[in-house]
Amino acid sequence: MPGPRFTIHARATLAVTVGCLTAAACGTAASPSGPAPPAASAPVPAPSPTTPVDPTGATPTAPEPTGTTPAAPGPTEAAPTPTGPPPFSAKVSRVTRDRLRYSWRPGCPVPVGDLRLITMTHWGFDDRAHTGELVVHRAVTEDVVSVFRRLYDWRWPIRRMQSVDVYRGDDFDSIDADNTSAFNCRPATGSNSWSRHAYGRAVDINPRENPYVYANGSVAHANARRFAGRPMRGKGVINPGDRVVRAFEREGWEWGGDWSGIKDYQHFSKGGG
């Protein structure tokens, strides 16, 4: 409400008020000093409240370590068309060092310049389209896009697809979150040699439903114990000789489920290992 000075300046204030109302009626734009109104988003489905939608398709940079592992953000939904889910799309772009703060370090067997970020559509466990990210070597981007295009066309579900940097480069935490991921500069499990993930030439898919199983039948993740056997029916489960395995084989990739002794049902790699 106006203060006591209103009566002294009534005529001036009235004139300004009338002028402002006239400008609003004529569609005058908001003052440039104020924030611009947000652009309208697609009406349905709403984006996951835990993952902000970035129009560039990028995920936020991982925060600095605080001594605790943050909760993994949910998958980002892709915008539907008026007649149904969106068509598959994939964008390949260069990845910067600051996007790999935890998964790359000096001494890794592949330079940052040889890695690429693939931002692409995938089908979720909630039967909706989502946008995910994989970091891979530039030499295998076409292979990866080709396989995941088929998976999306089949409506084959993937729980989530995020850079391992969201989990501060911690492979255990990424697997525990059932995250589908690719590049991570780390040694192979139980070895001092580099994993194919360290070269950006391996992908792990739905690691909860497709666990790494030791020769004695045990698994490292409690939430994956009931998925240790094969063959097995289930959402997002990969079985010997199924169409997911064949899709990767068409591109010259190998499946860890074919290994003798140890089985790595989540793992596909180009060049073995």
Side-chain angles (χ1 to χ4, degrees), residues 47-88:
S48 165
T50 57
T51 301
V53 177
D54 187 331
T56 66
T59 52
T61 301
E64 291 292 344
T66 60
T68 58
T69 301
T76 303
E77 292 186 16
T81 66
T83 57
F88 176 83

Side-chain angles (χ1 to χ4, degrees), residues 214-257:
Y214 294 95
N216 64 3
S218 66
V219 298
H221 298 262
N223 63 6
R225 285 174 184 160
R226 69 186 183 91
F227 295 100
R230 288 297 183 276
M232 174 176 289
R233 295 175 62 87
K235 206 169 190 177
V237 171
I238 302 169
N239 281 290
D242 71 9
R243 58 184 177 175
V244 179
V245 174
R246 296 196 304 271
F248 274 97
E249 286 177 344
R250 287 179 59 176
E251 307 300 332
W253 289 56
E254 301 176 18
W255 181 46

Side-chain angles (χ1 to χ4, degrees), residues 105-117:
R105 61 186 181 277
C108 288
V110 60
V112 172
D114 282 351
L115 297 171
R116 296 292 183 269
L117 174 68

Side-chain angles (χ1 to χ4, degrees), residues 5 14 117 142 154-155 176 186 192 194 252:
R5 297 183 182 180
L14 180 59
L117 174 68
E142 291 185 10
W154 296 333
R155 300 298 187 256
D176 223 39
R186 62 173 179 82
N192 292 323
W194 289 116

